[in-house]
Each structure stands twice: as structure tokens, then as C-alpha cells.
């Protein structure tokens, strides 16, 4: 701004003071606006952080539930395997018992047949001596 030569020193001081006051008012207005937007930004950041924490908690809960489900499924599979093994073992033992009973019966039949043959031979020998 061009200065006039006839301007007095006091006028120049007043003009400079007014300019400084205007600059200070502008700076205060900008600071207030920045403070208001800073509060809004802080609230937004807080909301974002809360949402992130909620998502993390939800993921952790889902992970925990999935782990429990997997553990339960593993226990059930192990129990099923154990039960099947017991059933297989019991069936094998039943087959062995059945085979053993058949063998005992077969041996008894063979012994009875042998005894009958022996008795028949003894009877024939007794008839011949009479």
C-alpha cells in the first residue's frame, strides 16, 4: 500500500495497530475453526478406533468359537474312533470265541467218533473170544 508523505507518525502507528489486530482476529478465527474441526476429527478417530476394537473382538470371538468347534469335532472323532476300535475288538473276540467253541465241538465229535470206533472194536474182539 503506497504511503502518503503527509501521513503523520501517529496515523501510521494506528494503522499498524489496526492491521495487527485484524491479523490477530483472523488467526483466532482460524484457530477456533481448526479447534472445532479438530474436535470433530478426534470424535471420528475415536469412532473409528471403537469400530476397529469391536471388529477385533468379534473376530477373536469367532476364532474362539471356531477353535471350540474344531476341538469338539476332534474329541467326537477320537471318541468315535475309540468306540469303533472297541466294537472291532469285541467282534474279533466274539469270532474267536465262536471259533473256539466250534473247535471244542469238533474235537468232542471227533473224540466221540473215536470212542465209538474203539468201543466197536472192543465189542468185535469180545464177540470173537466167546
Amino acid at each position: 500500500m503506497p504511503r502518503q508523505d503527509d501521513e503523520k507518525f501517529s496515523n501510521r502507528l494506528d494503522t499498524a495497530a489496526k492491521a495487527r489486530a485484524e491479523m490477530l482476529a483472523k488467526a483466532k478465527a482460524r484457530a477456533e475453526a481448526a479447534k472445532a474441526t479438530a474436535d470433530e476429527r478426534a470424535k471420528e478417530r475415536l469412532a473409528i478406533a471403537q469400530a476397529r476394537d469391536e471388529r477385533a473382538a468379534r473376530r477373536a470371538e469367532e476364532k474362539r468359537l471356531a477353535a471350540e468347534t474344531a476341538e469338539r469335532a476332534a474329541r467326537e472323532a477320537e471318541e468315535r474312533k475309540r468306540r469303533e476300535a472297541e466294537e472291532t475288538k469285541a467282534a474279533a473276540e466274539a469270532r474267536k470265541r465262536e471259533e473256539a467253541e466250534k473247535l471244542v465241538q469238533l474235537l468232542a465229535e471227533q473224540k466221540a467218533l473215536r470212542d465209538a470206533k474203539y468201543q466197536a472194536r472192543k465189542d468185535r474182539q469180545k464177540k470173537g473170544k466167546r
Side-chain angles (χ1 to χ4, degrees):
M1 181 171 177
R3 217 176 64 190
Q4 297 175 354
D5 287 336
D6 61 346
E7 216 178 303
K8 296 201 184 239
F9 182 70
S10 62
N11 287 342
R12 288 195 314 243
L13 285 178
D14 287 339
T15 306
K18 285 181 188 176
R20 278 195 298 278
E22 287 176 12
M23 288 190 329
L24 182 62
K26 280 184 183 178
K28 282 184 180 180
R30 270 189 263 134
E32 287 296 319
K35 187 176 183 182
T37 59
D39 289 343
E40 290 175 15
R41 284 192 311 259
K43 288 178 184 176
E44 288 175 4
R45 282 194 302 270
L46 182 61
I48 290 170
Q50 288 174 344
R52 182 175 44 244
D53 291 344
E54 288 174 8
R55 285 191 308 269
R58 201 174 323 118
R59 278 194 304 268
E61 181 66 18
E62 289 172 358
K63 190 182 278 189
R64 184 186 65 78
L65 289 176
E68 285 179 0
T69 304
E71 183 179 335
R72 189 176 318 116
R75 273 196 313 262
E76 289 173 359
E78 184 65 30
E79 180 66 23
R80 193 175 331 113
K81 278 184 182 179
R82 188 185 58 76
R83 220 175 313 118
E84 288 174 357
E86 287 177 359
E87 289 172 1
T88 305
K89 186 177 178 182
E93 287 176 3
R95 276 195 309 271
K96 281 184 182 181
R97 257 193 318 273
E98 188 177 307
E99 289 176 7
E101 288 173 4
K102 283 182 183 179
L103 184 61
V104 167
Q105 186 179 4
L106 180 64
L107 290 174
E109 289 173 4
Q110 287 175 349
K111 183 178 185 306
L113 191 61
R114 237 184 1 257
D115 288 347
K117 283 182 182 180
Y118 178 75
Q119 190 62 39
R121 190 172 63 231
K122 286 289 188 182
D123 289 342
R124 279 193 313 266
Q125 287 175 357
K126 279 185 184 179
K127 283 185 184 179
K129 288 186 177 181
R130 288 188 187 169

